[in-house]
Amino acid sequence: MLATIDRRPGRRVFAWERLLLALEGAMLVLIVTISVYNRFIHSDTALHHAFEAAGVGLDEAAAHLIGSMQRTTVWPIHYMTSIFLSLLWVWHGSLFSGIGGGFRYMALMVAAGVSAMAGIVIFMVEFPAFSWIHYIASAVASACYLNILATRIAR
Amino acid sequence: MRAVITSRGLHWAVGAAFLLVGATAIMNQTFYSKEAIMRSFEFSLPMVGVDMPPADQLFVARIARRAGWVFHFWAGIALVALFFIKTSIDARIRKVGRWHLLFGVLVAVMAATGLPLHFRSQVHIDAEVVDTARFVHHWGAWAVAAVFAGHLVGAIRKEIAVTKKSGVAIVVFFLSLGPVFPDLHAAIYHRVKSVVGCAREEKLCQKGVAYLEGRIGAKRIERIMPDCPYERCGKPKKGSHIDLPEGGRKYVITKPDFRKAVSLLLESAKKEESVAAAREALSYLLGRIDYKSSRPSEVLVARLKKEVGMDLEAYRRVVGQLVGVLVQKCDPYGIRMAKEFARHGYLGLKMPDVSGCPSRTNPIEGE
């Protein structure tokens, strides 16, 4: 695969990298969409209002249980895609920082690695205190990704 | 040069809007479809002691999904606007290709058919117009997806000069993702309270009600929720009526045998001439379908078929028979329903004459 990459700076885009970026972008959209749906559109509060419209009052715990049951099939897709994307970013970052991609690739690799590890801890060991580490590392990795994407598509 | 850069920027903006439209459509039609939401109610509502007929559950599901469709609609409007701005810029700097034009036509059709679907809750739009728009929008979405897949394959081939065989492999890969989505038409469960009591000698009626309430013949269903993302899942609110066995990870419900219950109640209404059984069965069946709609929801009809074993025609027939039994006995509930059905023409049923019943049992008389 690396044979298709022209390593001379500024001469050609990395064709394979553009494909990798597209795949990562699609995964990022999926992850963010699920998050937005689960945390806002189909949140406990939204569900509470929907039941109120039907004339059924729910207390907080009941709305939470009904909401959790609704979201239960969607979260695993979010988790697994997040972890897979983080691992993909680690690989992507290491591959391109090794051939002179610069600091942003290094940052992508490190942030994605931290995000993946924190995500695995949250998902497998159910240790929610790692959530903030996961969020911050994911945000850094996403910023690096968007920076790379912007330069690659604006060739 | 500036126009080229703007056009390129708009290309990716269109791409982002397209992804948003696609993502919201997929989310709304799969994980948060009416069926999926109602399927989750099957387990969660009994756990919190909410007793709600399927027609009401459908109403809640529709309300809950509205925000998702609002996002979809505005993302679609943004897509159309960005695409036509890009096209107008492209037309000045290069010849617009036929695939570009085809995509433009499809996007315009999607926007035109999306408008009645979005605004039908605010303004009156004929059901036929909405149905036609839905049909065209549904198949238009597949056509747009096909053009997008073609664009993607073309771009990939151009980027890395893959062989024709690889292009086919990529298309096959995308098509193979289809079966990943779960069956959206699985049946759901609901529970109905007994509204009247059967007489002591009405054995079939008593048995039917027992089946309906799940006291006999009910299936026990367990569901594990291993991935509950909140700390609170394992720790229900103090004093809450929610019972979460095994640390809140396992849910247990009982699912009544509705088919058997309805058949016993019908038998009781006919053989034992039980008013209680007829009322119970009618009240149960009316909660199953949005019978006041000019065209009952397909989701509810499919669920009725699966759980009670009745299609819409059989449903109409049985509802008509039950109202007939109740009117024959001059039951107030039956008379009220007969009048309501006759006045509004619900389900297209011909109702029996209620004038023979005394006015005491005829609550709508004189309205």
Side-chain angles (χ1 to χ4, degrees):
Chain A
M1 189 181 110
L2 284 172
T4 60
I5 297 172
D6 186 336
R7 300 180 184 205
R8 287 168 296 176
R11 293 295 297 274
R12 247 187 80 183
V13 291
F14 298 161
W16 274 104
E17 191 190 13
R18 282 162 66 85
L19 289 181
L20 199 56
L21 286 165
L23 177 65
E24 288 165 353
M27 290 167 81
L28 194 60
V29 167
L30 179 68
I31 291 162
V32 173
T33 306
I34 291 177
S35 255
V36 170
Y37 263 76
N38 283 1
R39 297 210 179 276
F40 301 104
I41 298 176
H42 288 274
S43 65
D44 294 346
T45 315
L47 194 70
H48 194 94
H49 292 318
F51 271 89
E52 263 182 356
V56 178
L58 293 175
D59 61 26
E60 190 197 332
H64 177 64
L65 191 139
I66 295 172
S68 296
M69 191 58 93
Q70 235 182 63
R71 297 184 290 262
T72 190
T73 50
V74 193
W75 278 123
I77 296 167
H78 172 85
Y79 295 146
M80 298 316 289
T81 315
S82 297
I83 290 168
F84 187 62
L85 176 61
S86 298
L87 294 173
L88 200 60
W89 272 346
V90 170
W91 177 72
H92 184 175
S94 65
L95 189 69
F96 282 81
S97 60
I99 56 170
F103 173 74
R104 57 194 179 164
Y105 284 100
M106 191 70 83
L108 178 72
M109 178 179 71
V110 174
V114 173
S115 167
M117 278 190 287
I120 289 167
V121 169
I122 297 164
F123 184 58
M124 304 298 284
V125 195
E126 297 184 13
F127 189 55
F130 269 49
S131 294
W132 281 106
I133 299 173
H134 177 67
Y135 294 152
I136 293 166
S138 301
V140 172
S142 300
C144 293
Y145 165 78
L146 290 172
N147 179 278
I148 295 164
L149 184 72
T151 52
R152 287 287 168 262
I153 64 178
R155 64 179 165 125
Chain B
M1 186 59 192
R2 196 174 163 187
V4 172
I5 292 169
T6 311
S7 171
R8 190 173 294 157
L10 281 169
H11 173 261
W12 292 105
V14 167
F18 183 85
L19 282 177
L20 195 58
V21 172
T24 47
I26 290 168
M27 288 297 282
N28 292 346
Q29 296 284 34
T30 54
F31 303 120
Y32 288 111
S33 66
K34 288 190 285 279
E35 295 87 344
I37 291 176
M38 289 171 72
R39 201 161 48 231
S40 79
F41 288 164
E42 176 183 348
F43 294 93
S44 55
L45 295 189
M47 292 301 296
V48 295
V50 173
D51 219 355
M52 191 181 248
D56 289 349
Q57 289 180 26
L58 182 69
F59 175 74
V60 173
R62 279 184 170 151
I63 298 278
R65 294 167 78 243
R66 196 170 284 169
W69 285 123
V70 169
F71 271 89
H72 178 74
F73 175 76
W74 288 110
I77 295 294
L79 170 66
V80 173
L82 289 167
F83 183 78
F84 284 102
I85 294 169
K86 178 181 159 38
T87 306
S88 66
I89 292 171
D90 282 357
R92 285 191 291 158
I93 52 176
R94 68 172 87 96
K95 193 179 168 221
V96 176
R98 56 189 171 171
W99 285 104
H100 189 109
L101 281 177
L102 174 66
F103 189 74
V105 169
L106 285 172
V107 163
V109 168
M110 294 301 282
T113 52
L115 289 172
L117 295 178
H118 182 73
F119 287 110
R120 73 199 153 112
S121 59
Q122 281 131 49
V123 290
H124 172 75
I125 299 171
D126 280 347
E128 278 183 14
V129 174
V130 172
D131 283 348
T132 310
R134 187 179 287 122
F135 178 81
V136 176
H137 203 76
H138 174 82
W139 289 108
W142 284 105
V144 170
V147 172
F148 175 72
H151 171 68
L152 214 60
V153 170
I156 290 168
R157 288 187 65 178
K158 203 172 156 191
E159 280 289 340
I160 57 172
V162 293
T163 62
K164 214 170 186 176
K165 210 172 169 183
S166 307
V168 171
I170 290 164
V171 172
V172 168
F173 169 75
F174 278 111
L175 289 177
S176 70
L177 293 177
V180 172
F181 296 115
D183 174 21
L184 301 177
H185 301 287
I188 320 157
Y189 150 83
H190 99 288
R191 206 176 156 181
V192 173
K193 266 187 182 170
S194 169
V195 286
V196 284
C198 309
R200 189 175 292 175
E201 64 278 8
E202 292 171 355
K203 299 291 179 202
L204 286 170
C205 174
Q206 286 172 10
K207 206 171 166 187
V209 171
Y211 266 96
L212 198 60
E213 291 179 343
R215 281 184 275 119
I216 48 173
K219 265 195 295 188
R220 191 182 141 90
I221 301 173
E222 288 183 0
R223 186 164 174 180
I224 307 289
M225 193 163 79
D227 58 318
C228 184
Y230 305 100
E231 276 180 276
R232 282 189 290 166
C233 291
K235 297 170 192 164
K237 198 177 165 186
K238 205 172 179 184
S240 161
H241 58 276
I242 299 171
D243 177 27
L244 297 173
E246 298 193 11
R249 306 292 165 177
K250 191 174 173 185
Y251 295 79
V252 183
I253 60 160
T254 50
K255 183 173 181 172
D257 186 345
F258 294 121
R259 198 177 290 227
K260 180 86 176 167
V262 171
S263 102
L264 281 166
L265 290 171
L266 276 176
E267 208 180 332
S268 168
K270 285 177 188 166
K271 288 185 183 165
E272 296 172 338
E273 296 189 339
S274 166
V275 172
R279 287 184 73 155
E280 190 82 357
L282 183 62
S283 154
Y284 168 74
L285 287 173
L286 292 182
R288 302 281 330 196
I289 297 283
D290 50 341
Y291 63 92
K292 293 181 180 175
S293 302
S294 56
R295 200 169 302 154
S297 157
E298 285 174 16
V299 176
L300 295 176
V301 173
R303 188 166 150 178
L304 180 81
K305 177 80 181 164
K306 180 137 185 173
E307 291 187 358
V308 191
M310 273 183 199
D311 57 18
L312 194 56
E313 195 44 47
Y315 177 84
R316 286 179 68 250
R317 199 174 55 245
V318 171
V319 167
Q321 283 173 1
L322 288 168
V323 174
V325 168
L326 290 171
V327 168
Q328 209 176 9
K329 298 280 182 184
C330 287
D331 176 73
Y333 176 59
I335 291 170
R336 183 160 65 83
M337 295 318 296
K339 289 199 160 191
E340 201 179 312
F341 270 73
R343 184 184 297 165
H344 300 288
Y346 295 147
L347 297 171
L349 282 174
K350 199 178 169 197
M351 286 290 123
D353 182 23
V354 298
S355 59
C357 291
S359 60
R360 186 171 54 82
T361 57
N362 206 333
I364 299 179
E365 203 70 54
E367 267 182 18

